[in-house]
Amino acid sequence: MAKKRLIVAITGATGAIYGIRTLEALRDSEGVETHLVMSRWAEKTISLETPYQPEQVMKMADYCYDVEDVGARIASGSFPVSGMVIVPCSMKTVAAVAHGYTDNLVARAADVILKERRRLILVARETPLNEIHLENLLKLTRAGAIIVPPVPAFYNRPQTIDDLVMHLVSRILDLLEIPNNYTRRWGELVEIKSEQGL
């Protein structure tokens, strides 16, 4: 059976760990092939925010591409992929994709995903959001993208920061139709509380 090809892009918004954990989860998923592209600011943010270096993150993917290489195979609709996730996604990248400004491989690959009507997930990271941000996000939603802000969930009783991160990663994998057990589901929590008499 052919592997499921997925593009993972990491941009310079804070929250680089979301991208790293997503890559790790996809690496550990059966039948998945990952194609990674990182912006220059993503590389800096990874070094600033996490114990990882960009070179270590690159090794988590099956294939890596230079962000300036707009001639890479993931920049063509003739290269079949199942979907793409930009995690985290800066507002600069949101603006570029929303307006078709494909000046680097992240924006170009996302543009191709939209034109081919494939699944595009943007983990858009900014707060507060101004009118321009909101209009760009709405434009992308109308174009078929799925906006997944990294909003923490507390119904699963997280104990660590990684619990919060992995809950979001689990939601991303759900949207990519990748089976996973990285977080406890709502129904499971209700059953546990019922068993405990809570």
Side-chain angles (χ1 to χ4, degrees), residues 25 37 44 52-53 84 91 140 146 166 171 175-176 178:
V37 56
K44 295 180 187 299
Y52 298 91
Q53 291 303 311
M84 176 178 183
M91 286 300 137
L140 286 167
I146 301 172
M166 291 311 295
R171 298 302 304 275
L175 290 168
L176 292 170
I178 305 293

Side-chain angles (χ1 to χ4, degrees), residues 152-165 167 184:
F154 295 96
Y155 60 79
N156 58 349
R157 304 275 182 96
Q159 301 299 305
T160 66
I161 290 176
D162 206 52
D163 289 343
L164 294 171
V165 170
H167 179 82
R184 288 190 293 181

